[in-house]
Amino acid sequence: MQTSNATSLTSRHVAVIGAGAAGLVAARELRREGHQVVVFEKDSQIGGTWVYTPQVETDPLGLDPTRHIVHTSLYKSLRTNLPRESMGFMDYPFVTRAGEGSDPRRFPGHAEVLKYLQDFAREFGIEEMVRFECEVVSVEMVDNEKLKVKCKRMRPDGGDDDLLDEVFDAVVVCNGHFTYPRIAEIPGINLWPGKQIHSHNYRTPELFKDKVVILIGSSASAIDLSLEIGGIAKEVHIASRSVANDTYEKRAECDNIWLHSMIKSAHKDGSVAFRDGNTIVADIILHCTGYKYYFPFLKTNGIVTVDDNRVGPLYKHVFPPIFAPQLSFVGLPYRSLPFPIFEIQSKWISGVLSDRIVLPSQEDMMEDVNTFYSTLEDSGVPKHHTHSMGDTMIDYNAWVASLCQCPCFEEWRVQMFYETAKRLNANPKTFRDEWEDDNLVLQACEDFSKYI
């Protein structure tokens, strides 16, 4: 990988799919680099998953292929699990801005995040690049160097949707990955008579009042929902893969919440058996089990696939070697700082498309991908955690930043990320409102003074 010696930059015609956080910053970086950008957004506004709606899908598990799909998975009470200082884009700080309905908390509600993204789009003139109510239904390679994008545009008169084709030099996929649920596989579940729901279709806790609830999962949202539901449910039993098989303990945060190992089986009498030996008769199972990457519009003849939630083959989570640089992805990694990762990936893609940054050969990229997969396998990392970053986030960011010749994550931002994770694990009920990292907040504010 190297920086090109080209004296003039190439301007390309680029499509961005999605106007959520990833698509917005991708559009900005692409235009900054001199590209001509069109953003396709199937909704009528920007924001992606941060656009809350009380609407849920007709299938509470999200499995029926004929269901009307609701994009967002936000629940009404959601607050960020990262502090606003570390969450925002690096050169557009997520600070409290004046205005009606603003939320000044360090860990604000989802409406404040949407307002931040709207301000970002306004500041950088991004909405003028967006084609709203245009759903991409097909992306396919033509002439080996171009990509044809077919989109379905809603007609204002309510008539049949228009189908439009347009050819681009490159396509950047930013359609998010919090829409298509992953469901836990439970022996006997087809005979179990209770109700099942995925957290994608959770908005408020009323459904769970006075019920015995089994919640599967251990993510930040699973912790949030267990506490919220625990306030009105009769009992909440958390089933987690990340604890030992003999785990059975009462949670300190609430006197009606228990932590178990994973479910062993479900039965037609309404009982659910856990690997820890306990059996509970439950009313509802809530799957907080994550989401699938899903790109139904990509037509790659099976070259780019999603296999057990591994999108691949992808060089550094971004470029499929055979289609690079014409096709790229922003925002696949998780357990990271999402918005800053989107930003750095977008800078990389923009520089590659302008010929300022040179990718390795297709063969070298494939070799790197295969080495990465072998490393994961040797380390015992399941395939479905391929895009989980965690501690590798810092090296990844530094590596991409060096290619782009731009700043990497500030030290305070990284420390704040880890301090927050520690508080979440230690005090899930209070970590958003009690902290001891004011020294990091001061460092952040000093850095922010360069941009405010």
Side-chain angles (χ1 to χ4, degrees):
M1 182 80 65
Q2 60 184 8
T3 301
S4 170
N5 293 321
T7 55
S8 61
L9 301 181
T10 303
S11 176
R12 302 192 190 276
H13 187 40
V14 185
V16 174
I17 301 176
L24 294 175
V25 76
R28 185 192 69 168
E29 295 302 329
L30 286 161
R31 187 163 66 177
R32 277 180 167 178
E33 193 77 10
H35 301 296
Q36 305 301 309
V37 184
V38 175
V39 181
F40 293 92
E41 171 52 52
K42 66 180 180 182
D43 204 347
S44 59
Q45 63 176 308
I46 62 101
T49 198
W50 292 101
V51 178
Y52 174 77
T53 174
Q55 182 183 7
V56 296
E57 297 175 352
T58 51
D59 175 6
L61 278 178
L63 299 178
D64 182 356
T66 66
R67 74 195 186 280
H68 172 69
I69 294 170
V70 176
H71 183 73
T72 186
S73 295
L74 293 179
Y75 41 96
K76 187 176 182 180
S77 64
L78 182 141
R79 292 173 63 185
T80 64
N81 56 26
L82 291 172
R84 62 197 311 147
E85 299 89 5
S86 65
M87 184 175 176
F89 298 120
M90 292 178 66
D91 64 354
Y92 191 76
F94 187 11
V95 296
T96 303
R97 289 176 168 81
E100 185 178 350
S102 64
D103 182 350
R105 294 174 295 179
R106 278 194 78 195
F107 295 78
H110 53 78
E112 182 78 355
V113 182
L114 178 60
K115 183 175 180 294
Y116 168 73
L117 294 175
Q118 291 168 336
D119 290 343
F120 177 82
R122 190 177 305 111
E123 176 76 16
F124 296 102
I126 296 170
E127 283 202 8
E128 66 192 39
M129 295 183 267
V130 182
R131 295 181 187 171
F132 292 106
E133 298 183 331
C134 280
E135 180 180 0
V136 172
V137 295
S138 174
V139 175
E140 59 183 334
M141 188 70 73
V142 292
D143 301 328
N144 293 322
E145 292 186 353
K146 304 277 187 179
L147 287 160
K148 182 168 71 174
V149 175
K150 180 179 290 186
C151 76
K152 183 170 63 175
R153 170 169 265 171
M154 295 173 57
R155 290 181 52 154
D157 61 6
D160 292 340
D161 295 336
D162 293 324
L163 286 176
L164 307 172
D165 288 355
E166 190 168 349
V167 174
F168 292 87
D169 297 314
V171 172
V172 185
V173 180
C174 307
N175 68 322
H177 51 86
F178 295 105
T179 298
Y180 297 91
R182 283 171 59 91
I183 302 298
E185 295 182 4
I186 303 170
I189 194 64
N190 291 338
L191 299 175
W192 186 72
K195 182 179 180 63
Q196 294 186 78
I197 181 173
H198 189 277
S199 58
H200 174 65
N201 289 303
Y202 176 95
R203 297 294 182 268
T204 58
E206 286 79 13
L207 172 69
F208 302 89
K209 183 174 175 59
D210 299 326
K211 303 294 186 184
V212 176
V213 181
I214 294 175
L215 184 153
I216 305 174
S218 55
S219 65
S221 63
I223 295 169
D224 279 351
L225 298 191
S226 70
L227 293 170
E228 182 165 270
I229 292 167
I232 65 170
K234 181 179 179 181
E235 298 174 4
V236 176
H237 297 266
I238 302 171
S240 174
R241 294 185 189 279
S242 59
V243 299
N245 279 345
D246 60 352
T247 299
Y248 175 60
E249 59 188 45
K250 200 168 197 176
R251 300 293 290 176
E253 309 88 53
C254 204
D255 63 7
N256 63 339
I257 300 179
W258 288 264
L259 177 64
H260 298 257
S261 56
M262 194 50 193
I263 294 172
K264 181 180 178 182
S265 58
H267 305 275
K268 62 182 180 181
D269 64 355
S271 64
V272 176
F274 296 87
R275 292 177 184 170
D276 58 37
N278 287 282
T279 299
I280 302 296
V281 176
D283 301 299
I284 303 175
I285 294 177
L286 175 61
H287 296 253
C288 298
T289 42
Y291 297 86
K292 301 174 184 176
Y293 297 100
Y294 191 55
F295 313 100
F297 49 84
L298 281 183
K299 313 300 179 186
T300 67
N301 294 320
I303 294 172
V304 178
T305 64
V306 182
D307 178 15
D308 192 18
N309 238 29
R310 170 186 285 173
V311 185
L314 290 185
Y315 178 63
K316 308 299 187 186
H317 305 282
V318 173
F319 291 104
I322 292 178
F323 297 118
Q326 290 94 337
L327 182 64
S328 58
F329 296 78
V330 172
L332 298 186
Y334 59 96
R335 290 187 64 229
S336 66
L337 288 163
F339 291 12
I341 285 283
F342 302 165
E343 185 176 2
I344 199 75
Q345 288 181 328
S346 298
K347 289 179 185 293
W348 183 24
I349 293 166
S350 302
V352 168
L353 289 175
S354 71
D355 297 326
R356 182 171 56 83
I357 302 170
V358 180
L359 286 173
S361 68
Q362 180 180 313
E363 293 74 19
D364 286 348
M365 285 192 283
M366 277 304 308
E367 182 179 353
D368 184 275
V369 171
N370 290 330
T371 299
F372 173 54
Y373 291 168
S374 296
T375 300
L376 293 178
E377 185 175 353
D378 293 344
S379 302
V381 176
K383 185 181 288 187
H384 61 264
H385 287 326
T386 295
H387 304 293
S388 174
M389 285 211 157
D391 291 340
T392 66
M393 170 187 69
I394 298 162
D395 289 342
Y396 178 86
N397 169 258
W399 183 84
V400 178
S402 69
L403 298 177
C404 301
Q405 298 180 331
C406 66
C408 58
F409 292 167
E410 310 92 334
E411 183 60 28
W412 62 259
R413 193 184 297 263
V414 174
Q415 288 185 34
M416 196 177 286
F417 175 78
Y418 287 117
E419 285 298 318
T420 303
K422 286 180 189 175
R423 290 203 315 276
L424 167 61
N425 291 329
N427 299 294
K429 202 168 185 176
T430 61
F431 81 99
R432 292 181 175 92
D433 299 304
E434 297 176 2
W435 58 82
E436 296 178 351
D437 60 351
D438 286 340
N439 59 317
L440 300 178
V441 176
L442 287 174
Q443 292 175 44
C445 291
E446 289 176 10
D447 274 356
F448 291 167
S449 64
K450 296 180 291 190
Y451 305 109
I452 298 174

